[in-house]
Every structure is written in structure tokens, then in C-alpha cells.
Amino acid sequence: MRELSVVGVRVELPSNQPIVLLREVDGDRYLPIWIGAVEATAIAYEQQGVKPARPLTHDLMRDILAALQAPLRAVEITELKENVFYADLLIGDGLRVSARPSDSIALALRVGAPIRCADQVLTEAGIVIPDEQEDEVEKFREFLEQVRPEDFAG
């Protein structure tokens, strides 16, 4: 397993499909995962520090885990089958719950849990961005600073 950090979310054109971009902490590969608009909004809200008046689903999950004293220890992106990513939530003392990566990432951001990815998944789906394209990543980061969660509303 390799640890990843969340670069951010954006809308992929021309399909208008949201994407979350992850990056290896100790490497140079990026992992793009296409996600739903609701999950993109949840990730963007947390990254931008937006606190809704009432808890969103991922906030509720965070609060339930805290109330049960069952901390989220980590998120692991475990498989890629037929272009579908699979993830597990590692909760408490060894409980493993299957979840979508997008929901897992949104929850991990809320509790500060590490996000990890199986080497095989990174080998299969990870991309290396050449130096000449690093300015594209910088543009992406600038985009993330300007985008609002409402931009992901379907």
C-alpha cells in the first residue's frame, strides 16, 4: 500500500464528470478517479473548510463513528475491476467495511485518516505527469482555489 494525498476535485470536460485527483505522497504518480457530483461537493466542502448548517452524509458518518468510539484508522483503495475502483474503511480494531472510494475519501478528509492505495491499482491506473505538464497541475491547483462546491451541483 502506498499513501496518497488529495490534490482536489474538478469537472472533466466535455463530459462534465467530476474527478478527484490523488497523488502519491512518496512518489510521482497521480490517481484520477471519476466520482459523482454529490461526493465531489462533499470533498470540495471539506477541502475549502465549508461548514453546512446541517451535517452532510459524510459528516454524519464521522459523528456516528465518534459516538461509537470506533475511529476511522485508514482508507484503502484495494482494487480496480472493469474500470470500477473499490475501497475499504479500516475502522477501530480491525473492522474492514467495503465502500466507494469517493465516500471513503470524503470521510477520511473529515477525520484526518490516511488514504492508501494498493500498488497494483497504482500500477494499473496511476499516471506520471511529465515535467512539461507540471504547469497543468499548477493550473489545476489554481482552479481548486477558485471553484465553489456549488459548481458540482448537477
Side-chain angles (χ1 to χ4, degrees), residues 1-2 11 21 30 38 43 47 49-50 56-58 69 80 82 110-111 118 126 132 138 143 149-150 154:
M1 288 281 172
R2 309 282 296 190
V11 174
L21 186 63
Y30 290 83
V38 172
I43 291 168
Q47 283 198 307
V50 174
L56 299 176
T57 304
H58 302 96
Q69 297 180 7
L80 175 60
E82 299 177 15
R110 281 163 172 74
V111 302
E132 60 269 10
E138 187 56 38
F143 165 81
E150 297 80 32

Side-chain angles (χ1 to χ4, degrees), residues 5-152:
S5 63
V6 179
V7 176
V9 292
R10 69 174 282 190
V11 174
E12 186 73 14
L13 297 175
S15 66
N16 287 331
Q17 178 72 32
I19 184 174
V20 61
L21 186 63
L22 307 167
R23 182 172 189 193
E24 260 184 306
V25 171
D26 293 322
D28 56 359
R29 291 179 290 185
Y30 290 83
L31 183 66
I33 301 176
W34 281 259
I35 61 175
V38 172
E39 294 79 13
T41 300
I43 291 168
Y45 270 2
E46 189 60 29
Q47 283 198 307
Q48 295 176 1
V50 174
K51 300 297 178 202
R54 298 294 301 145
L56 299 176
T57 304
H58 302 96
D59 301 316
L60 177 62
M61 267 310 286
R62 175 200 60 214
D63 296 346
I64 289 170
L65 290 173
L68 294 173
Q69 297 180 7
L72 178 65
R73 303 278 184 208
V75 163
E76 292 183 350
I77 301 169
T78 56
E79 287 185 278
L80 175 60
K81 290 193 285 193
E82 299 177 15
N83 294 321
V84 176
F85 289 90
Y86 293 81
D88 287 339
L89 302 173
L90 279 58
I91 300 171
D93 294 326
L95 182 63
R96 189 176 281 267
V97 177
S98 179
R100 295 183 304 180
S102 54
D103 290 322
S104 302
I105 292 164
L107 185 57
L109 288 173
R110 281 163 172 74
V111 302
I115 301 166
R116 301 184 193 120
C117 185
D119 288 324
Q120 181 178 343
V121 173
L122 272 172
T123 299
E124 188 174 339
I127 57 173
V128 176
I129 299 177
D131 289 341
E132 60 269 10
Q133 291 181 5
E134 282 293 329
D135 62 332
E136 289 297 318
V137 174
E138 187 56 38
K139 287 179 188 174
F140 180 51
R141 287 188 178 117
E142 290 172 12
F143 165 81
L144 293 173
E145 291 173 5
Q146 298 171 13
V147 71
R148 298 182 327 268
E150 297 80 32
D151 295 335
F152 297 103

